[in-house]
Amino acid sequence: MRVLITGCKGQVGYCLTEKLAGQVELLALDSEQLDITDAVAVDKTVAEFKPDFILNAAAYTAVDRAEEEKELAYAVNCEGPRNLARSAHLYDSVLLHLSTDYVFDGEGGTAYHENHTPNPQSVYGASKLAGEIAVAEECNQHLIMRTAWVFGEHGNNFVKTMLRLGLSHNQLSIVGDQYGSPTYAGDIADALIAMMLHVASGKQTAWGVFHYSGAPYVSWFQFAQRIFDAAKSNVVLAQTPSLKSITTAEYPTPAKRPANSRLNCEKIQSQFDIKPSDWQKALTNISAYK
């Protein structure tokens, strides 16, 4: 089985590459090796390697900066996936593509199902939704995974930020009125691989959008509490800071964040037997996040 991974140096791409190395015929490329916004380069790569599966973990994820770099965000998050989808369709590859909770406005009172109407409130969210639409338009054999609050040992994320700030601050103010699902990058990689193997085995597959994130749902403030609890019990920090819960209004950002980022993951569990990410278990290895 031939597998092409794009964005192999990102949080999820790194995990995918580690897990699939030696298991399949693998071509893992970062943005310097393959610029997915270059349609000619994408077509050449796919034509030469002829992958059975393309796992697209490449993305523009600078949420606040995207408000000023709209063209770049759309190039990477929309045109890049479109190029991959066109080539996947042309060479009969299956495309698995990562998306985000930011496609929703966050104003709903319950966890979002896949059939809830997207209404992104930021350039980042809008560019990711445009990418979803492009993938669906260009490639019939596609699986889109929306996920949220990604963290892992590799790359930049909330867990690493908290540990870094915990070294130099006695008190931290953390937003307590935004709720969602922390999701461990290694679990996302496992879920994508499980979906890929399901298709490869010849089992009937319903193409389309699936939600995958962690359980239980928490606020950023509660997530920070769990991080520092783990840091304390694993002696990662000699002392942990006191935490103060603040509102979104007290911590303004250029891009609007969804107040409700909770994703309902029943569909992916039903179709692929994939359970939500156990993000609290992932924190037991917190010394690896330093």
Side-chain angles (χ1 to χ4, degrees):
M1 188 163 65
R2 291 171 176 250
V3 179
L4 168 63
I5 297 173
T6 56
C8 72
K9 289 186 177 179
Q11 291 193 86
V12 176
Y14 186 89
C15 293
L16 283 169
T17 303
E18 274 197 326
K19 291 173 182 292
L20 289 175
Q23 306 300 311
V24 298
E25 191 170 345
L26 183 66
L27 179 60
L29 303 174
D30 62 24
S31 58
E32 293 182 357
Q33 296 166 311
L34 177 61
D35 177 2
I36 63 171
T37 69
D38 184 338
V40 174
V42 168
D43 192 71
K44 183 174 184 292
T45 299
V46 176
E48 291 178 353
F49 185 60
K50 294 182 175 60
D52 299 297
F53 294 89
I54 300 172
L55 307 182
N56 181 35
Y60 179 104
T61 58
V63 176
D64 287 323
R65 200 163 67 237
E67 297 297 311
E68 296 180 355
E69 297 182 347
K70 183 176 180 178
E71 287 186 9
L72 179 58
Y74 270 85
V76 178
N77 292 341
C78 176
E79 295 311 313
R82 185 187 302 280
N83 294 335
L84 290 168
R86 281 176 175 166
S87 293
H89 178 72
L90 186 60
Y91 299 102
D92 198 30
S93 303
V94 175
L95 175 60
L96 285 81
H97 172 68
L98 275 176
S99 192
T100 176
D101 56 300
Y102 277 64
V103 300
F104 297 113
D105 57 25
E107 295 178 5
T110 59
Y112 286 99
H113 289 265
E114 288 81 355
N115 59 0
H116 273 104
T117 303
N119 184 29
Q121 300 295 296
S122 65
V123 169
Y124 167 70
S127 68
K128 291 296 288 183
L129 177 60
E132 290 185 13
I133 294 168
V135 165
E137 286 177 345
E138 302 291 347
C139 179
N140 292 330
Q141 297 183 115
H142 69 270
L143 295 169
I144 296 169
M145 178 192 286
R146 290 178 184 147
T147 190
W149 295 21
V150 182
F151 72 95
E153 297 90 343
H154 183 81
N156 298 316
N157 54 67
F158 186 75
V159 175
K160 289 191 173 185
T161 299
M162 288 299 99
L163 293 177
R164 186 181 70 251
L165 292 175
L167 288 170
S168 56
H169 291 71
N170 294 322
Q171 184 183 69
L172 293 174
S173 296
I174 309 295
V175 173
D177 60 356
Q178 294 174 18
Y179 289 85
S181 310
T183 315
Y184 177 53
D187 291 340
I188 297 173
D190 285 338
L192 287 168
I193 291 169
M195 295 170 83
M196 180 182 74
L197 294 177
H198 178 99
V199 176
S201 70
K203 294 178 182 177
Q204 186 174 357
T205 303
W207 308 113
V209 178
F210 293 84
H211 289 174
Y212 179 75
S213 60
Y217 303 126
V218 288
S219 68
W220 287 112
F221 175 77
Q222 291 168 328
F223 188 20
Q225 286 180 312
R226 304 289 203 286
I227 292 166
F228 287 118
D229 286 346
K232 186 175 182 179
S233 61
N234 287 274
V235 201
V236 172
L237 294 175
Q239 261 187 317
T240 56
S242 62
L243 301 180
K244 178 186 177 184
S245 179
I246 61 172
T247 66
T248 298
E250 292 176 280
Y251 188 74
T253 56
K256 184 179 179 182
R257 265 70 172 171
N260 173 25
S261 278
R262 294 174 293 173
L263 298 176
N264 182 297
C265 301
E266 292 175 358
K267 181 181 175 184
I268 197 169
Q269 187 162 351
S270 173
Q271 302 233 7
F272 296 101
D273 195 28
I274 295 171
K275 296 178 181 179
S277 171
D278 187 348
W279 61 267
Q280 293 185 103
K281 180 181 178 181
L283 288 180
T284 60
N285 185 38
I286 198 160
S287 59
Y289 296 80
K290 293 182 69 178

